[in-house]
Amino acid sequence: MKNKHKLFSLFLLVPLCLSACADERDFSSISKIEEIASNEDYILGVDLSSIIEVENAGGVFYDFNGKESDIFSVLSESGINYIRIRLWVDPFDEDGNSFEGGGNDLETDLEIAKRASEAGMKVLLDFHYSDFWADPGKQIIPRAWEGQAGEELYRTASEYTTSVLEAFNEVGATPSMVQIGNEINNEWICSLKGEEFYSFVGECASAVRSYDPSIEIALHLAMDQSINTLVSSFNGFISHDIDFDIIGLSYYPYWHGSLSTLDSNLSKLEESFDKKICIMEYAYGYTLDSSEMSFNTSNIFNKSCERNGGYEATPTGQALCIYDINKTISSHKSVIGSFYWEPAWLGLEGTSWASSDAFTYQRVNGLDTNGLGTCSWVNQALFDYNGYPLESLKTYNIMKGIS
């Protein structure tokens, strides 16, 4: 997920959230959701991939009493039970400078996973099979794998997958779930399409299953396509005998339509497949004001997103969005939960979506070189610009029936 707004046509922005901008509800309208409160396995997760980079840049976090606290403890005490982490193969330039965006190489991810496990949270590992961002608009083969093809490339990816899982196991943080690729729409991963795409995904999924059959395998697509296209995509995986457990989806209300559309899409997927379903990414803005930012920012979430998303860009609006999405999806028996994307990505020097050191990588691959060095997600965090938790973070415990 990065600059995904450039990937969607305007017709995707027309449907509004069921709770339109005229929504007059306040925070007190958020209440226990029985389907969540009665299911201790329901995932209330967050993607915390940028956290080491944020802390290294001087970011600190506080609990609801205003005391400086460990971010993992704050999240766990707020009802979060699962941490999602993206993994890149080699997110550095030839001189070893980080591309930023979290700098999620193996060493960084092991630290995140270990801290999450120590805080009592499960881990979802998101293999991008790329050196940097992978999404519906780009799926670039790692530079070290260039020149490989066919069985050689599949073997490299399979062995890489196994070695990563071994490393996580060695630090006592074996993932409970993995994604084979990130938003692999359009039959595209690691620069491969068509039959090569399916062979690659199948080999990597088999590597996970062979290493540890208890690890659940997810295949993740963004909901930027029609439901018929999504059904066709997952039918493609099944027809190619790819072993997976979970249908993963990205759903951003300001890009992917109304809650009623989400609801009907989930029903169609349930009718079509005997698989679990999980929302791998969602988020919403809590402010449009960047005047308190201490570092250069160019936030993706803007007035247009607020208008299309249907909630006010306030902590209450953000909380209502979190609540409504989870209330909608938890009514479906196949849905196992959701992950909020990057709730702690503070805007500090050294925490951009892509650093200036990523310029050559971006240019060579025909990608966006505008805005390098800027922060773009800060106003969708669940902490304010200074690391204090927003009221919206309390939504998770409320949904679980914990006051």
Side-chain angles (χ1 to χ4, degrees):
M1 146 72 224
K2 173 64 195 73
N3 286 348
K4 202 178 301 179
H5 61 306
K6 296 181 179 179
L7 305 176
F8 304 115
S9 303
L10 286 178
F11 74 87
L12 289 170
L13 300 177
V14 173
L16 295 181
C17 196
L18 286 181
S19 55
C21 280
D23 194 337
E24 296 182 354
R25 293 176 298 167
D26 60 21
F27 193 83
S28 65
S29 65
I30 295 171
S31 60
K32 181 175 77 171
I33 299 174
E34 188 57 41
E35 291 85 352
I36 294 176
S38 62
N39 179 7
E40 62 180 13
D41 294 324
Y42 185 87
I43 296 172
L44 291 173
V46 298
D47 188 311
L48 208 62
S49 298
S50 68
I51 191 59
I52 302 301
E53 193 169 80
V54 167
E55 291 179 336
N56 288 344
V60 294
F61 295 89
Y62 302 85
D63 62 20
F64 281 104
N65 294 317
K67 180 182 178 181
E68 185 175 331
S69 301
D70 177 73
I71 179 65
F72 291 87
S73 296
V74 175
L75 291 171
S76 178
E77 291 168 3
S78 298
I80 301 301
N81 56 19
Y82 228 115
I83 298 296
R84 180 178 186 251
I85 319 168
R86 57 181 168 271
L87 176 63
W88 295 321
V89 177
D90 183 22
F92 305 96
D93 71 8
E94 60 185 9
D95 296 319
N97 299 307
S98 175
F99 291 163
E100 295 184 9
N104 293 101
D105 65 347
L106 179 58
E107 181 181 358
T108 298
D109 285 13
L110 290 175
E111 182 176 351
I112 298 172
K114 185 177 180 181
R115 290 173 64 184
S117 297
E118 290 172 348
M121 295 182 278
K122 294 183 178 180
V123 172
L124 160 57
L125 182 60
D126 176 12
F127 284 93
H128 278 226
Y129 296 107
S130 187
D131 287 336
F132 208 29
W133 299 105
D135 54 46
K138 51 189 174 293
Q139 297 283 343
I140 299 167
I141 188 171
R143 288 159 294 175
W145 301 359
E146 290 176 353
Q148 297 185 32
E151 293 300 326
E152 181 186 12
L153 178 58
Y154 308 151
R155 183 169 57 255
T156 294
S158 176
E159 292 174 352
Y160 165 76
T161 301
T162 300
S163 68
V164 166
L165 294 177
E166 288 174 342
F168 273 74
N169 184 54
E170 288 175 2
V171 299
T174 300
S176 297
M177 187 194 313
V178 301
Q179 286 180 218
I180 304 299
N182 186 75
E183 296 184 332
I184 51 175
N185 300 60
N186 310 311
E187 298 180 356
W188 195 19
I189 191 172
C190 199
S191 300
L192 302 175
K193 290 193 173 186
E195 290 303 312
E196 291 182 319
F197 163 82
Y198 289 111
S199 295
F200 183 98
V201 173
E203 288 293 329
C204 292
S206 294
V208 174
R209 195 68 83 204
S210 296
Y211 179 77
D212 186 343
S214 71
I215 298 175
E216 293 195 292
I217 300 170
L219 300 180
H220 171 213
L221 276 65
M223 288 184 62
D224 62 329
Q225 297 171 311
S226 71
I227 183 58
N228 290 335
T229 301
L230 290 174
V231 169
S232 177
S233 295
F234 285 107
N235 272 327
F237 295 128
I238 291 171
S239 67
H240 285 81
D241 296 320
I242 293 174
D243 186 6
F244 73 104
D245 307 292
I246 298 167
I247 291 172
L249 302 167
S250 293
Y251 171 73
Y252 294 90
Y254 44 86
W255 286 330
H256 298 140
S258 67
L259 284 174
S260 61
T261 298
L262 172 63
D263 191 37
S264 63
N265 286 352
L266 292 175
S267 293
K268 180 66 173 178
L269 290 169
E270 284 185 309
E271 293 169 6
S272 303
F273 305 105
D274 183 21
K275 299 288 183 181
K276 299 175 183 178
I277 302 173
C278 186
I279 302 300
M280 297 301 193
E281 297 181 17
Y282 74 103
Y284 203 80
Y286 73 89
T287 183
L288 298 177
D289 182 13
S290 60
S291 62
E292 296 182 16
M293 281 290 298
S294 60
F295 186 67
N296 188 22
T297 184
S298 179
N299 284 324
I300 289 173
F301 188 93
N302 54 24
K303 189 66 177 178
S304 177
C305 292
E306 180 188 46
R307 184 166 55 250
N308 289 306
Y311 300 89
E312 290 185 356
T314 64
T316 295
Q318 184 183 58
L320 289 170
C321 181
I322 293 169
Y323 176 77
D324 287 348
I325 288 174
N326 281 282
K327 186 172 179 62
T328 298
I329 67 176
S330 64
S331 67
H332 293 265
K333 292 183 179 180
S334 297
V335 174
I336 60 174
S338 65
F339 290 86
Y340 192 96
W341 203 75
E342 289 287 6
W345 199 343
L346 303 185
L348 302 165
E349 185 172 2
T351 66
S352 68
W353 73 268
S355 68
S356 59
D357 295 307
F359 177 83
T360 299
Y361 177 89
Q362 295 288 106
R363 179 181 56 79
V364 167
N365 290 295
L367 302 176
D368 185 15
T369 57
N370 294 317
L372 296 182
T374 63
C375 302
S376 60
W377 204 257
V378 186
N379 66 339
Q380 296 189 72
L382 299 178
F383 294 81
D384 70 14
Y385 293 158
N386 298 306
Y388 289 89
L390 302 171
E391 287 294 296
S392 48
L393 184 57
K394 295 180 178 180
T395 306
Y396 294 97
N397 271 335
I398 294 174
M399 291 189 294
K400 295 168 72 171
I402 301 173
S403 57

